[in-house]
Amino acid sequence: MSIRVTIWNEYRHERSSAAVAAIYPQGIHETLAQALRAQPDFVVRTATLDEPEHGLSAEVLQDTDVLIWWGHKAHDEVQDDVVERVVQRVWAGMGFIALHSAHFSKPFKRLMGTDCALRWREASDKERFWVVNPAHPIAQGLPDFFELEREEMYGEFFGVPQPDALVFISWFSGGEVFRSGCCWYRGMGKVFYFRPGHETYPTYHHPLVQQVIANAVRWAAPTPVANFTRDVRRPSAPLEPLPQH
Ligand code: ZN
């Protein structure tokens, strides 16, 4: 069965900066879409901020198994009703993958319930990703570690709840470390945060970064729960006779 993936991108830097456009001429979302379309079991669409309803109508979200999110400078422009729709879908089982500066996106912050703050430095550090959970599905096929020659640095403390699973820890050439691949369960949905992807570096062209994102899509895809009662917001009949008072 195929996995329906929607890649959402703010798509502003690519249209306002020649340097970013040179790396992502069709936008970060199209680079990611091209990579994920190579997976035979993925059906991939894209959506961007400036489309009506940000490209995330109720129909689109209903038709989405995993939503990938990249945003940076226009988090505040994302309408709250669309954020609410995304969060409700995650609680009902949709996977959500937040990339890089999406740590400050409205849906990610809603799903975490914390400030999601971190320290950062834009100075072309080297980033080394260590796999700290080799048995996790998101680490499948990866070496013990891999490196990006140039990236923005994100450092601890990362203000998120303790992850339900930690897959990567990054080391940066300036000396900081960061929990760069984190998993959480939220309702019936799964959330993955993956750190790299500053817009001025070619990070999303890197084959191992693409592999992590593809692995994460498979992990975050809804688990079949056809026989499970999703909506428990009603009075519950007892399964056993109760004592009479
Ligand atoms: Zn950045």
Side-chain angles (χ1 to χ4, degrees), residues 118 154-156 158 168-170 172 177-180 193 195:
L118 46 80
Y154 279 6
E156 298 284 346
F158 184 19
F168 305 111
I169 292 176
S170 281
F172 292 89
V177 295
F178 190 77
R179 290 168 290 170
S180 50
Y193 175 78
R195 196 218 74 84

Side-chain angles (χ1 to χ4, degrees), residues 172-193:
F172 292 89
S173 46
E176 294 87 354
V177 295
F178 190 77
R179 290 168 290 170
S180 50
C182 304
C183 301
W184 296 269
Y185 292 89
R186 287 294 181 270
M188 306 247 184
K190 306 186 204 93
V191 177
F192 182 60
Y193 175 78

Side-chain angles (χ1 to χ4, degrees), residues 7-11 29 46-55:
I7 302 167
W8 190 89
N9 182 19
E10 183 179 282
Y11 195 30
H29 53 297
T46 64
T48 55
L49 177 66
D50 291 328
E51 295 171 40
E53 298 182 81
H54 313 316

